[in-house]
Amino acid sequence: MTSEPPVSARRPARLSPRVRTWLVAGLSLLGGYVIATARQVAVRPPLVLGQDAVSSPQSREARVTLEQAGGPVIRIRPAGGEARTLLVFYPGGLVRPQAYEWLGRALADQGVETVIPAFPLDLAVTAANRADALIGAYGDGKRVVIAGHSLGGAMAAQYAARHPGKVAGLILMAAYPAGNVTLKGQTLPVLSLLAERDGVAAPEAVRGGLNRLPPGTTLTVIPGAVHAFFGRYGPQRGDGQPDVNRAQAEGDILNAVQTYLTGLR
C-alpha cells in the first residue's frame, strides 16, 4: 500500500499594500457613517419653543409652554378663555415636536388646545400609548382628538383602534394604519390628508389605508404639497418636488383641519 505524498498547505493570498490601504479607508468611512447615523438618532436636538412657528398669523393668540406629562410635551393654549377641544399630536419619525407648533398656534384661535409630546428617540413607536397620560393631564371636560404625521399618524391610528371610545376623532397627515391595525368597526370620524406630491408616504398607500378606516372617512388632497410640508423641519430625503409654496400648503392643511374640527359633534 502506497501513501499519498503530503499536500503542502496553501498560504492565503496576500493583499497588495494598495488594496489594503483602500480596504482600511473604506472600513473607516463605513464605521464613521454608522457612528454618525447612530449619534444623530440617539442625540436629539433641544426643544426650543417658537423658532419653528414664526410668521404664523395667530401666534399672538396662543400661550405656549414646555411641560411634563409622562415626558416632555409642548402645550399650546388659547390666550384667552378655555379650550373646548384637546388635540393630541404625534410627530413624524425623527422629527422634533416644535416642527408642528405652527399648527397648534394657528388652531388656538379656534378654541383648540394642542399638546405635542416628545418621544424617546423622536419615534412614536417607542410609546404609542403616550396619549393616555396627555388625556389624563389635559383632557378633562374637553373633546379629545388624536392626530399624527407619517409614523406618528400610524401610531395615532393604532391608539384609536386599541382604545375605542377614548377619542372623538382621528386626523392622519400623510399616514395610514399599519397592516395589522383596523378601525373599520368604529364610527369614529376620521380625516386623512394626502400630499399630492408626497414622495415618502406614497399616495397609493395612503388611499389603500382607507380600507382599514371607518366608513365615511374624509380623504382630502393637499394640492402640490409634499411630505415635509406638514411640519417645519426642512426638506426630507426621498420626498417629491412641490409645485406650491409652503405657505399655500400650510393654509390648505389648516383649512382642512379647521373644517373637520368644526364638523365634529
Side-chain angles (χ1 to χ4, degrees), residues 187-254:
T187 58
L188 186 71
V190 179
L191 171 64
S192 177
L193 299 180
L194 187 161
E196 184 181 30
R197 310 279 292 178
D198 198 324
V200 178
E204 57 269 24
V206 175
R207 293 181 187 277
L210 297 175
N211 295 327
R212 299 186 295 281
L213 292 172
T217 291
T218 299
L219 175 67
T220 299
V221 177
I222 307 301
V226 294
H227 196 81
F229 276 5
F230 289 99
R232 294 183 176 177
Y233 57 90
Q236 185 164 349
R237 181 179 297 178
D239 208 353
Q241 290 294 321
D243 54 20
V244 297
N245 60 40
R246 176 178 287 275
Q248 177 63 51
E250 287 184 354
D252 291 340
I253 292 166
L254 178 60

Side-chain angles (χ1 to χ4, degrees), residues 46-167:
L47 278 170
V48 181
L49 302 181
Q51 70 175 12
D52 293 318
V54 293
S55 79
S56 293
Q58 291 86 357
S59 294
R60 296 188 304 275
E61 307 300 329
R63 291 178 290 165
V64 185
T65 53
L66 182 60
E67 303 184 8
Q68 290 286 329
V73 57
I74 296 176
R75 184 185 185 190
I76 308 167
R77 291 168 285 171
E82 291 297 321
R84 301 177 297 276
T85 298
L86 176 69
L87 180 68
V88 178
F89 194 100
Y90 283 8
L94 299 180
V95 180
R96 293 262 73 190
Q98 63 257 35
Y100 307 94
E101 187 183 336
W102 74 270
L103 180 62
R105 285 177 177 266
L107 291 173
D109 193 47
Q110 309 300 315
V112 177
E113 177 176 343
T114 301
V115 287
I116 313 170
F119 289 92
L121 303 179
D122 284 333
L123 295 171
V125 70
T126 62
N129 292 330
R130 181 73 185 282
D132 282 338
L134 300 171
I135 295 171
Y138 305 114
D140 188 35
K142 301 183 184 75
R143 173 182 58 189
V144 178
V145 175
I146 191 167
H149 174 221
S150 195
L151 176 63
M155 293 300 101
Q158 177 177 301
Y159 181 87
R162 297 181 180 178
H163 298 80
K166 193 73 176 284
V167 297

